[in-house]
Amino acid sequence: MERNERDDAKVENDHDLEDDHGGFGSYLFGMSETVAKQLTEDSDAFKNPSLSWMIGFLFVVSFLGLFSAVPLRKVTIIDFKLTYPSGTATAHLINSFHTPAGAKLAKKQVRVLGKFFSFSFLWGFFQCFYTAGDGCGFAEFPHLVLKHMKKVKAFLNLPKSSLLVESTYVGVGMICPYIINISVLLGGILSWGLMWPLIDTKRGDWYPADLKPGSLHGLQGYKVFIATALILGDGLYNFFKVLSRTLAALFFQLQRSDATGALPIADRSSPKTSRISYDEQRRTQLFLIDQIPTWFAVAGYVTIAAISTTTVPHIFPELKWYYILVIYIFAPALAFCNAYGCGLTDWSLASTYGTLAIFVIGAWAGASHGGVLAGLAACGVVMNIVSTASDLSQDFKTGYLTLSSPQSMSAFKDLGTPGSQYPAPYATVFRNMAILGVEGFSSLPKNCLYLCYWFFGAAILINLIKDVLGKKRARFIPNPMAMAIPFYIGSYFAIDICVGSLILYIWENIDKAKADAFGPAVASGLICGDGIWTLPSSILALAGVKPPICMKFLSRRTNAKVDAFLGS
């Protein structure tokens, strides 16, 4: 592989895309005439962005994710005990402001959180001074040990920035279970270390050799769809597992009037066991007292779905009402998959599910019936539903840990032009996906669909093995959902979160009491400090303030060439 993995991840699918759930840098501008004219295929199919229809569209589709997440909040927060690292970090930050006066431990926790919050914030501030151009800054720090192992690096595609870790990912690693972090690392090794380099050797055989790096006809197609297959296999298995248990409990409840089986839904309290701490019992009790009724969530979903099915086709005539109806039938399962995966790894893969919608609806509509615009619009519907579900689940986790009521949680002309200040590169990527979608899955690169079948089956098989082995042994089995994350977005963060796990593991072995008391505070400080730095950095970017220095790391040979050039 000629380019390093971090560069691939930035070009093809940077994780920042996951924050663009509204589609303002992806599918919405993928519909625009500016982006359409950049491509030779279907350049006449476009719909220019306008506040009037964009506000209406986002309004009628965004609430569906809220109603999808409400009925399953008990499953994700109480039964599965998913971590939701960002929600957990936020909760610890909030709790630090409301500690009882005179509590020595609480004061110490606040001080620890403040120290690491300040460190993370100032580290982000310091780094920004050296990022004046592409390939600049500490993020490009090379791995000195492996830099000279050219053959190993060429085959394993090792990241070059694996010594200077990012504080956010270290904090996430300290909160996530060990097996989740190890699963992410295994997924990175399997995909970027083995599969992608091997598939790259098939260039010219399995797919044309002259394709651009982001083309879904080439290596990127394998990355997107194999990751999607793993995610769907794991998510759907757990969805139907919960559904089957719910139906079984309901059956016994109807058969026996004195049955005590608890349904894994929000309107039933969790069974109490003596092993649960008093704090956990108190949190669970308060979390389940002030409920948003399940019947209300179901009624709200049906009502908004009916309104949306009627309204959206007027905004996008290419997106027929029966396309939308099919989406809304499957949307709760996809929302659960995304909320479940986000709870495990803190990553919302809304764009992955949006990509799936592009291909299914685009292929169904066909090129002659506006399949490109239909696919992009369907992508927007799915992305808004699944992203809202995961975001709301994060908030529920925060509310659970802070003993809050669940009911209370609830101008540029050159935009999209290459080379401008706001090129919106992912808009072109999403439009290319839509163009590929109308051609059908047969246009995917060779053997891609077969590999998807294998990985979908592997995800189900792994979950079956975990259920058969029982809890004691199952904790050593990797999680397919976590393994799929680096397949899609790159594995550059896998080392960082494993560093977080290693720090916590060593700390627990040295002093478990302090690790239990201060570990969450340290992790929360690292996550929140780096996160809050994005606010002033965004303000500086909007104000046009640019970093003063570009710091690059060059090899000895490259540096000699630069010196020779400057000397001449």
Side-chain angles (χ1 to χ4, degrees):
M1 305 288 284
E2 295 180 357
R3 295 181 302 156
N4 64 73
E5 173 215 5
R6 185 178 289 267
D7 292 337
D8 283 336
K10 286 182 178 178
V11 171
E12 296 168 5
N13 196 358
D14 191 271
H15 72 276
D16 290 341
L17 177 61
E18 304 305 329
D19 297 328
D20 181 31
H21 300 149
F24 297 105
S26 53
Y27 67 87
L28 284 178
F29 288 105
M31 303 177 183
S32 68
E33 182 179 9
T34 301
V35 175
K37 297 302 182 184
Q38 297 173 26
L39 306 173
T40 58
E41 300 170 285
D42 292 288
S43 59
D44 295 329
F46 60 84
K47 184 178 181 67
N48 285 317
S50 170
L51 280 179
S52 58
W53 69 261
M54 288 166 61
I55 292 174
F57 172 71
L58 294 175
F59 184 81
V60 296
V61 300
S62 295
F63 288 101
L64 287 158
L66 184 152
F67 290 117
S68 299
V70 166
L72 293 170
R73 66 189 181 277
K74 176 183 173 292
V75 178
T76 56
I77 305 298
I78 305 297
D79 296 334
F80 284 0
K81 300 186 184 301
L82 300 179
T83 54
Y84 289 102
S86 290
T88 299
T90 304
H92 284 292
L93 182 63
I94 293 173
N95 286 336
S96 70
F97 296 124
H98 301 279
T99 53
K104 293 183 178 180
L105 178 60
K107 287 184 177 180
K108 290 180 180 179
Q109 288 174 330
V110 172
R111 284 198 295 267
V112 169
L113 188 147
K115 288 179 181 178
F116 284 89
F117 177 94
S118 301
F119 166 78
S120 181
F121 182 89
L122 292 174
W123 175 240
F125 174 69
F126 175 73
Q127 289 186 82
C128 79
F129 283 93
Y130 302 93
T131 57
D134 293 336
C136 302
F138 286 94
E140 301 300 320
F141 192 87
H143 195 304
L144 300 178
V145 177
L146 295 175
K147 186 176 68 173
H148 298 292
M149 298 174 62
K150 295 182 179 179
K151 293 183 179 179
V152 176
K153 184 177 179 180
F155 180 70
L156 294 181
N157 194 20
L158 294 167
K160 72 175 181 180
S161 52
S162 52
L163 284 182
L164 290 178
V165 295
E166 296 187 31
S167 57
T168 294
Y169 300 136
V170 174
V172 169
M174 295 180 69
I175 293 177
C176 288
Y178 293 129
I179 190 59
I180 298 300
N181 297 333
I182 293 173
S183 298
V184 172
L185 183 61
L186 289 176
I189 294 173
L190 178 61
S191 57
W192 291 90
L194 297 174
M195 289 185 59
W196 305 157
L198 288 173
I199 292 176
D200 189 62
T201 62
K202 302 295 183 180
R203 182 189 300 266
D205 180 15
W206 285 16
Y207 58 93
D210 56 349
L211 292 175
K212 294 182 179 180
S215 174
L216 290 178
H217 290 284
L219 183 59
Q220 181 70 354
Y222 296 95
K223 297 176 183 178
V224 170
F225 286 98
I226 291 176
T228 303
L230 263 177
I231 292 167
L232 289 179
D234 186 58
L236 291 177
Y237 177 89
N238 284 281
F239 176 80
F240 286 110
K241 178 181 174 180
V242 171
L243 180 62
S244 62
R245 289 181 177 179
T246 302
L247 295 176
L250 179 61
F251 175 77
F252 287 114
Q253 189 80 359
L254 295 174
Q255 291 293 317
R256 298 173 55 191
S257 58
D258 61 339
T260 58
L263 300 182
I265 57 176
D267 291 343
R268 278 200 167 273
S269 60
S270 293
K272 296 181 180 179
T273 65
S274 58
R275 295 183 180 180
I276 301 178
S277 67
Y278 172 78
D279 289 344
E280 290 298 314
Q281 291 183 25
R282 184 63 175 162
R283 290 190 183 104
T284 301
Q285 181 185 10
L286 291 178
F287 188 75
L288 297 174
I289 284 177
D290 196 7
Q291 295 288 348
I292 301 172
T294 300
W295 67 263
F296 179 82
V298 174
Y301 185 89
V302 173
T303 302
I304 298 296
I307 295 173
S308 179
T309 303
T310 305
T311 306
V312 172
H314 290 284
I315 302 175
F316 300 102
E318 298 84 2
L319 191 64
K320 306 300 181 183
W321 66 268
Y322 43 88
Y323 298 161
I324 304 174
L325 182 62
V326 170
I327 290 174
Y328 289 160
I329 291 173
F330 291 99
L334 300 179
F336 175 83
C337 292
N338 196 43
Y340 174 73
C342 185
L344 289 173
T345 64
D346 209 38
W347 288 87
S348 171
L349 294 180
S351 61
T352 304
Y353 300 100
T355 300
L356 182 66
I358 286 179
F359 277 84
V360 174
I361 301 301
W364 188 0
S368 59
H369 295 86
V372 172
L373 288 181
L376 290 171
C379 170
V381 174
V382 171
M383 280 183 64
N384 277 280
I385 293 174
V386 300
S387 64
T388 304
S390 63
D391 293 343
L392 185 62
S393 297
Q394 291 273 20
D395 294 338
F396 278 137
K397 183 67 175 185
T398 301
Y400 171 75
L401 293 174
T402 56
L403 303 179
S404 302
S405 164
Q407 291 188 10
S408 67
M409 305 295 295
S410 320
F412 304 99
K413 295 182 179 180
D414 58 352
L415 191 63
T417 303
S420 67
Q421 188 174 1
Y422 303 100
Y426 288 111
T428 305
V429 173
F430 271 66
R431 189 173 183 89
N432 276 321
M433 290 181 184
I435 294 172
L436 179 60
V438 298
E439 298 173 2
F441 288 101
S442 60
S443 62
L444 288 175
K446 187 178 179 181
N447 297 321
C448 181
L449 204 55
Y450 294 108
L451 288 171
C452 291
Y453 292 149
W454 277 101
F455 277 90
F456 182 86
I460 295 176
L461 180 61
I462 291 173
N463 278 287
L464 284 171
I465 294 174
K466 291 176 70 174
D467 287 341
V468 171
L469 290 178
K471 290 185 178 180
K472 289 186 178 180
R473 297 180 180 177
R475 60 195 179 98
F476 299 106
I477 305 297
N479 184 280
M481 183 78 72
M483 291 179 66
I485 305 296
F487 271 71
Y488 184 51
I489 63 174
S491 61
Y492 57 90
F493 66 98
I495 296 176
D496 299 17
I497 65 173
C498 285
V499 167
S501 281
L502 181 62
I503 292 172
L504 186 62
Y505 178 78
I506 295 174
W507 194 1
E508 286 179 338
N509 280 273
I510 295 175
D511 192 336
K512 182 170 175 56
K514 284 191 175 181
D516 292 341
F518 299 108
V522 171
S524 301
L526 291 173
I527 294 173
C528 295
D530 193 33
I532 289 187
W533 164 245
T534 60
L535 178 60
S537 67
S538 299
I539 295 174
L540 292 174
L542 289 174
V545 178
K546 297 182 179 180
I549 303 170
C550 174
M551 181 174 65
K552 287 183 178 288
F553 298 91
L554 306 177
S555 66
R556 182 171 55 194
R557 182 176 299 178
T558 304
N559 185 63
K561 292 180 180 179
V562 172
D563 288 341
F565 176 79
L566 294 176
S568 62

